[in-house]
Amino acid sequence: YLYSDFSDQLSLVCNNLSSRYGEIDVNAYFKPISNNPDNKIFNTKFTLKKQFPSFLFSFITDSEENMYIHTLSCKNENFEISLECYKNAKKILIALIEKNSKCVEAHKMLAEIYEKEGGIRKSIDEYVKVVDLDPNAYDSYFKIAMLLRELGNNQDSLEMLTKLVNKKPDYLEASIALSDMLCMNERYKEAISVMNEALKHHPNDYDVYYSMGMIYTMLNDFSTAKACYEKASIINTLEHNSDYNIAMIELILGELEESEKYFTRCIDDEDLSPLAYYQLAKIYMIRGHKETAVQALNIAIELDKNMYKKATEDRVFIPIKGYIDYPNMEEDEEEEEALSSVLWNLSTNLL
């Protein structure tokens, strides 16, 4: 058997046994997986209060780096759980596929491993086998399209995404990927059609409205773009990218008060705050409030040192160039020295 989560499957098995043969406390015996140089990294035995029938149950799971073989066995009152880690997961799956070439999950897991290793073409081959065995394996079909795109085969990727979205119009991730590729080819109206169809199946989805806002912005239809961003902002009040884009549109249109309002909403966002302060500084410069602009710009630089170079190259800030704070590089040097010290101590201990 192939499953994605060991603890969930163990609980499922034991719950099934409990319903038939009496209660068993899984949590009392389940231990966290810890590092161990041996292949067998988890092994525990315990005695049950009631006699269970003899059985052997094995299944495979995978993590980001390793493949695990789990074995649950019972003989009379002795119940054993073992977990073996195989560093080379491919060998296990290849052997499994040799015995059962129609094992869909094995092909899928092997494809994922090839993908993690960077073997994109081998990964595609395995995903193709998954789709051949299961025509409804839409996730694998989507994976093939995205891997083809990664290889630079944009035309085939576009065709696959188009077929996938036509067959399964509620597949949101595929719809967004398709609209992105259409935009790359400047086919904006087609991209809008794709997202309008996605909207029928996902009427309250943030990503749909945000993507539509991006496309309408590329079409210079700022009023419709703003409406889409506003809808996205209402759906997800914790996400401020929409607010930032609305602020930029208002700035382009010369609506400084509205622009300032939306940029101000972004200053609490860790990723957007440097850019928000930077744009606020521009607004203050346009208004002639140089002192306030200097304060906002220096905050932006303090939050992100890259803002300094950006500001010194921006003609808007020429009048206040002499008041811009040079970023403090000492902190970066101290962090580098601390990291070097840690690495040196680590290498010394290993030796």
Side-chain angles (χ1 to χ4, degrees), residues 17-233:
L17 293 173
S18 299
S19 64
R20 298 182 183 183
Y21 305 106
E23 187 175 355
I24 171 174
D25 185 4
V26 180
N27 295 324
Y29 305 101
F30 183 71
K31 300 176 183 178
I33 299 170
S34 59
N35 292 327
N36 191 305
D38 299 325
N39 271 347
K40 188 170 288 188
I41 60 174
F42 175 78
N43 191 6
T44 185
K45 297 181 181 180
F46 54 90
T47 302
L48 305 173
K49 293 181 180 179
K50 295 184 179 181
Q51 182 171 321
F52 277 57
S54 298
F55 69 88
L56 175 66
F57 184 90
S58 297
F59 55 97
I60 301 173
T61 67
D62 72 324
S63 68
E64 290 185 359
E65 297 179 354
N66 294 313
M67 177 70 60
Y68 299 103
I69 302 295
H70 311 273
T71 303
L72 286 74
S73 60
C74 181
K75 190 173 183 180
N76 298 325
E77 291 87 8
N78 295 319
F79 188 70
E80 181 177 355
I81 303 173
S82 67
L83 167 60
E84 296 184 14
C85 171
Y86 291 82
K87 294 181 179 179
N88 193 343
K90 287 186 293 185
K91 290 183 179 179
I92 302 169
L93 288 169
I94 291 169
L96 182 60
I97 290 169
E98 286 177 355
K99 292 183 178 179
N100 181 9
S101 61
K102 295 183 179 181
C103 184
V104 175
E105 287 298 322
H107 285 294
K108 185 177 179 180
M109 292 172 73
L110 187 57
E112 290 171 357
I113 291 170
Y114 283 136
E115 185 180 352
K116 289 172 186 175
E117 293 179 340
I120 296 178
R121 295 186 185 279
K122 288 184 177 180
S123 179
I124 290 174
D125 290 342
E126 291 302 321
Y127 280 125
V128 168
K129 292 172 184 176
V130 172
V131 174
D132 288 341
L133 291 168
D134 181 8
N136 294 322
Y138 299 117
D139 289 339
S140 294
Y141 194 89
F142 177 70
K143 273 286 190 181
I144 296 168
M146 299 313 292
L147 290 173
L148 285 171
R149 177 179 172 177
E150 196 171 332
L151 287 174
N153 195 340
N154 293 333
Q155 187 57 42
D156 285 345
S157 177
L158 185 62
E159 290 177 5
M160 287 193 71
L161 287 172
T162 302
K163 290 179 182 178
L164 178 57
V165 170
N166 287 338
K167 189 170 185 179
K168 193 168 175 59
D170 61 336
Y171 199 139
L172 180 57
E173 196 174 357
S175 296
I176 292 174
L178 176 57
S179 69
D180 286 345
M181 291 201 71
L182 289 169
C183 287
M184 286 171 58
N185 291 295
E186 299 183 356
R187 295 160 62 179
Y188 302 119
K189 292 184 178 180
E190 292 176 65
I192 286 293
S193 297
V194 171
M195 296 316 298
N196 277 325
E197 185 63 30
L199 190 61
K200 296 176 184 178
H201 302 277
H202 307 276
N204 296 303
D205 189 89
Y206 171 88
D207 291 325
V208 172
Y209 282 103
Y210 186 83
S211 295
M212 292 180 74
M214 294 287 287
I215 300 168
Y216 280 116
T217 300
M218 295 175 192
L219 287 168
N220 292 324
D221 185 349
F222 295 125
S223 60
T224 308
K226 180 185 172 184
C228 292
Y229 287 134
E230 285 175 339
K231 183 68 175 178
S233 183

